[in-house]
Amino acid sequence: MIWDGAVRTIYPQLSFSPVGQPTNGNPQSVDSGSDQIRLPPGGQLIQFEFTGLSFASPERTRFRYQLEGLDHGWVEADSRRVADYTHPPPGRYLFKVIGCNSDGIWNELGDSIEIIIEPQFWETLWFKTGVVALISVTCSGLVMVVLRRRHGLAMERLEHQRALEIERTRIARDLHDDLGVGLTEIGLLGDVAGNDPGLRPASQERLQEITDRARSLAASLDEIVWAINPANDTSQSLVDYFFPYAQKLLGSAGIRCRLEVVEPLPAGNLNAEDRHEFFHAYKEALNNVIRHSGATRVEICLASSNGNLMIRVRDNGRGFGGADDKGLRHGLVGMRERLTRLGGKCEVAGSPESGTTVTFIIPVDPGT
């Protein structure tokens, strides 16, 4: 610094002590010619002591200091001669100090010294890099273990699913070949026996009841076989089964039927239980048309609706408000309950002018 017409040089002094040990209070002097000092790791306190000679009003001498790399600007020391830094992190710093004489003239040149604080081994770049690499390897290993575990579980599920499908196929085949064929034979034998002219009318009536019951059971069994057969788990199987069923049922009641498929149908499958429930709701809708609507024409549309499967049954009947609406509404409640169990919904709209429209919407699992 320059004041009182003389050049005065500030000689910084510092003291430090290792981590875990208190500072001994004995400063380590730094020669005026030194421009760098290297400190070992573990220091708790670095103390800079500085002074400047001023023979005129030394009490009015002021100082500013800054440790570049740690301080964000100059620190006003006023008349203090000490700067303390506790637990400075490892790194390279430059301590600078400037002074001002009693006339308010600052020595902008001041004095400085470079301080290098060595890091602990766990603070070194190679150690941090090694830790990051170890963590990365560990995480990668854990990810691999988790992925292998998930893959193993997925394979187990696939094997279990395949075993179930094989068993379902076997049951469907046995039901069709044994019970289905047997019930059909009973119906045929009943027809043959009923044609016997020597049979009494009462016996013919009972035999006809047996024949009709056998055919009804055969039809119900056919529905069960279709539902449990894994080959019918696709959306296309609904088209192949629902539409012919509607044509046969409505045709026997003298009702014309128009069928429509809007492609593409949603990708994914329906399991056996869902298809069985869905079919019963669909059958209830058709039976309601026959029993309650008085319709002469029915339109059935199967399409995709936001990734879900939709079937719409629309008739040209009298809609709601008829004398037998009580039975109709009971059927509507049953249909809604079935669709709710499937996670879908049943929407019904009708009026005397436009007939009745029943819309079934059922979610399709894309992962099955």
Side-chain angles (χ1 to χ4, degrees), residues 72-304:
H72 297 293
W74 289 101
V75 179
E76 296 289 343
D78 294 329
S79 59
R80 288 185 293 113
R81 305 293 195 271
V82 178
D84 296 327
Y85 292 91
T86 305
H87 298 294
R92 185 184 296 267
Y93 304 97
L94 181 64
F95 182 79
K96 301 187 299 183
V97 61
I98 58 176
C100 176
N101 64 8
S102 58
D103 296 327
I105 301 175
W106 285 94
N107 173 14
E108 299 296 340
L109 179 62
D111 206 348
S112 64
I113 185 171
E114 185 179 26
I115 304 296
I116 299 175
I117 303 177
E118 299 288 348
Q120 298 281 7
F121 76 92
W122 60 80
E123 297 174 320
T124 58
L125 179 60
W126 66 266
F127 182 84
K128 294 179 181 179
T129 303
V131 170
V132 172
L134 179 60
I135 294 175
S136 299
V137 171
T138 303
C139 292
S140 299
L142 291 175
V143 170
M144 290 297 297
V145 170
V146 172
L147 290 178
R148 288 180 179 177
R149 177 61 177 168
R150 288 183 178 178
H151 179 72
L153 293 175
M155 293 301 296
E156 290 178 5
R157 287 195 296 268
L158 289 175
E159 290 295 332
H160 180 66
Q161 182 178 357
R162 179 172 175 79
L164 288 178
E165 290 181 353
I166 293 175
E167 184 65 15
R168 287 170 55 193
T169 302
R170 184 191 65 79
I171 293 174
R173 183 177 60 250
D174 291 345
L175 288 175
H176 179 270
D177 294 344
D178 296 336
L179 294 179
V181 172
L183 290 172
T184 301
E185 290 177 352
I186 292 174
L188 293 175
L189 291 174
D191 289 338
V192 173
N195 292 329
D196 186 356
L199 196 65
R200 290 180 300 177
S203 299
Q204 283 184 338
E205 183 178 349
R206 294 190 183 93
L207 189 59
Q208 185 62 43
E209 291 178 358
I210 294 173
T211 301
D212 293 341
R213 181 58 177 164
R215 289 199 170 97
S216 176
L217 290 175
S220 298
L221 183 63
D222 180 66
E223 297 172 9
I224 296 173
V225 170
W226 172 80
I228 67 174
N229 192 339
N232 298 324
D233 286 350
T234 63
S235 300
Q236 183 61 43
S237 71
L238 296 179
V239 178
D240 298 337
Y241 192 81
F242 279 29
F243 281 6
Y245 179 87
Q247 286 179 317
K248 181 179 179 181
L249 182 65
L250 297 174
S252 64
I255 301 175
R256 290 181 293 122
C257 182
R258 180 177 180 273
L259 308 175
E260 179 183 7
V261 178
V262 180
E263 295 183 339
L265 296 177
N269 297 339
L270 293 170
N271 60 43
E273 182 179 357
D274 289 351
R275 284 189 291 112
H276 186 68
E277 287 283 339
F278 198 15
F279 176 74
H280 275 282
Y282 172 73
K283 183 168 67 172
E284 181 68 27
L286 298 179
N287 286 330
N288 284 338
V289 172
I290 296 173
R291 292 195 300 263
H292 305 289
S293 72
T296 59
R297 186 180 72 256
V298 173
E299 298 177 357
I300 301 176
C301 176
L302 191 147
S304 175

Side-chain angles (χ1 to χ4, degrees), residues 17-22 41-44 87 120:
S17 60
V19 174
Q21 299 179 7
Q44 290 183 332
H87 298 294
Q120 298 281 7

Side-chain angles (χ1 to χ4, degrees), residues 54 68 82 216 248 318 353:
S54 177
E68 289 187 353
V82 178
S216 176
K248 181 179 179 181
R318 57 174 172 266
E353 295 79 16

